[in-house]
Amino acid sequence: MNDDDISYPYNFSVQNYAEDERFEAWRAEHQHHNLSVNQHDISIADADFRGIHLGPMMLGNWRLTSIRKNKKANFAKRMAEKIRKDSLDHYYFRLSLTDSWRYSGLTHQVEVKAAQLAMVDLSQPYDMGIADGEVIMLMVPRDILPQDISQFHGSVFNSGLGYLFADHLKALFRQAPQLSPLEIPLAMETTLSFLQAMLVTSPDNLRHASLVIQTALFQKIRTYIDQHLESAQLNVLTICQQMGISRSHLYRVFAEVGGVANFIILRRLAKAHAILSAGRAYKPRISELAFRYGFSSPVQFSRAYKRRFGYTPSDTLAASEQLVRASVETSHEGSAWLLPY
């Protein structure tokens, strides 16, 4: 399927405007920048934007074809007044697919070549050259990243991971409209983990990035386990198939918590404990819970339960029932003042 055939939620094209209206329509789409160019300097032959949200992140594609009427450089400027007015608190990752462009900040200038990925911090001033061609952009809210990355303002990521992340953004843009609601959070999580790995350069930071990625994977698998605690198919093989990882990778992720099989047992025991100790009048039988959560017998369940909590399921049930009775009695006493004399 051609990219132009894919439907995106956000669309803009100057082809929807008369020729003498195209420049102002194009300028209006750049509200977070002041443009140093005016209608006398440039003629917009074609320009369009397609975009989509991945959670709080914005992924988009700009294309521009223009006729420049003089050789003067044109810039999109983000100045202090604009920053104060719109309060955009995002990191802006920009990947030019076809043309080079110039970044100019308070501390340095850099020429960004085609296929290179660069980042600017929208809370800091800068000038960005307006170049024809095609651009992939990703806007990431500052508060969804675990660390401050403002020191990368004006940076070009020309490492191996930088180019890999650029390829990821291109593929993500093509596939994003076809992601299901369940897949979108996973795509966002993967992108953020990949982004954090790209931003690090030292061996210590690479180890930290690996830990970040492993932690994200652990949380993803934990969520899957919690959602399938009653399934008889919850096992190492099924998890590996669902997560797209090898057994050895899965074992490494759960090595610090005693292994994945042990973790599943602990989560099942915790769920059973929550049910037995809940302040509800009706509770399932202990034997029912044992079979529901994958134990071969009530005896096996009770032994594992006592090893984990130091008391039996029957003890938990008795204590919970006592609390329910006490609550009912207190409720009756408290409402006595409503009774007639």
Side-chain angles (χ1 to χ4, degrees):
M1 180 184 290
N2 187 291
D3 285 359
D4 292 332
D5 298 328
I6 301 174
S7 177
Y8 290 82
Y10 301 94
N11 289 276
F12 163 81
S13 173
V14 296
Q15 298 302 321
N16 298 324
Y17 297 85
E19 282 193 29
D20 60 349
E21 298 175 336
R22 289 179 180 177
F23 175 82
E24 289 302 329
W26 172 72
R27 186 210 290 271
E29 289 297 310
H30 292 77
Q31 294 182 10
H32 54 285
H33 289 107
N34 293 109
L35 303 185
S36 69
V37 61
N38 59 50
Q39 200 160 2
H40 301 294
D41 300 322
I42 185 173
S43 176
I44 306 297
D46 195 11
D48 63 67
F49 173 78
R50 296 169 296 160
I52 188 169
H53 274 107
L54 294 176
M57 300 192 303
M58 178 68 172
L59 181 67
N61 171 268
W62 265 110
R63 291 185 290 196
L64 172 66
T65 303
S66 67
I67 301 170
R68 309 296 171 103
K69 299 179 181 178
N70 57 52
K71 295 183 179 181
K72 183 176 71 173
N74 306 128
F75 288 94
K77 298 174 177 285
R78 187 152 175 84
M79 298 179 289
E81 182 180 1
K82 176 69 72 173
I83 293 169
R84 285 195 302 272
K85 283 184 177 179
D86 64 24
S87 301
L88 275 177
D89 200 19
H90 292 63
Y91 301 115
Y92 176 31
F93 293 87
R94 190 176 195 269
L95 171 64
S96 178
L97 303 181
T98 53
D99 294 82
S100 62
W101 57 281
R102 178 173 292 277
Y103 160 86
S104 178
L106 298 177
T107 59
H108 69 287
Q109 296 183 355
V110 62
E111 187 79 16
V112 186
K113 299 177 182 177
Q116 287 185 330
L117 179 70
M119 187 204 92
V120 294
D121 180 351
L122 294 183
S123 71
Q124 300 186 49
Y126 61 85
D127 293 352
M128 179 187 297
I130 299 173
D132 280 27
E134 186 172 5
V135 170
I136 297 287
M137 51 156 283
L138 176 70
M139 292 182 67
V140 181
R142 187 184 310 272
D143 60 7
I144 70 171
L145 289 174
Q147 74 271 21
D148 180 20
I149 62 169
S150 57
Q151 71 271 23
F152 292 102
H153 180 56
S155 293
V156 178
F157 304 104
N158 53 15
S159 64
L161 279 177
Y163 285 108
L164 281 174
F165 186 65
D167 287 340
H168 169 74
L169 291 183
K170 288 186 284 187
L172 182 62
F173 179 75
R174 288 194 301 270
Q175 298 299 323
Q178 297 155 48
L179 294 176
S180 71
L182 292 176
E183 291 174 318
I184 288 176
L186 299 179
M188 173 185 160
E189 182 179 284
T190 300
T191 300
L192 290 175
S193 296
F194 202 158
L195 169 59
Q196 291 173 76
M198 179 196 69
L199 293 174
V200 295
T201 54
S202 70
D204 286 343
N205 281 338
L206 286 173
R207 283 191 290 271
H208 171 71
S210 176
L211 177 61
V212 168
I213 293 171
Q214 293 292 77
T215 300
L217 180 59
F218 175 85
Q219 294 298 337
K220 178 181 174 182
I221 298 172
R222 173 177 173 163
T223 299
Y224 176 83
I225 289 172
D226 285 345
Q227 291 172 344
H228 296 83
L229 290 176
E230 298 183 19
S231 172
Q233 304 303 316
L234 182 60
N235 54 43
V236 169
L237 178 60
T238 304
I239 294 172
C240 289
Q241 291 173 341
Q242 292 295 321
M243 299 297 127
I245 60 176
S246 66
R247 285 175 177 263
S248 58
H249 192 174
L250 179 63
Y251 293 152
R252 286 197 301 273
V253 171
F254 281 82
E256 296 295 324
V257 292
V260 64
N262 181 65
F263 184 80
I264 291 172
I265 292 173
L266 294 180
R267 297 302 297 164
R268 282 173 161 167
L269 289 172
K271 183 65 174 179
H273 186 279
I275 292 172
L276 290 172
S277 57
R280 296 194 296 267
Y282 169 77
K283 293 182 178 63
R285 296 169 62 88
I286 291 173
S287 58
E288 180 185 340
L289 285 178
F291 295 122
R292 181 191 299 179
Y293 291 113
F295 293 89
S296 60
S297 71
V299 173
Q300 184 199 37
F301 171 65
S302 294
R303 287 173 179 168
Y305 191 99
K306 187 171 183 178
R307 280 197 304 269
R308 175 61 175 150
F309 301 111
Y311 43 84
T312 67
S314 298
D315 295 335
T316 306
L317 190 57
S320 176
E321 290 173 348
Q322 185 177 354
L323 286 175
V324 169
R325 286 195 298 270
S327 175
V328 170
E329 291 170 1
T330 302
S331 175
H332 288 167
E333 292 171 0
S335 60
W337 67 275
L338 295 174
L339 300 175
Y341 292 113

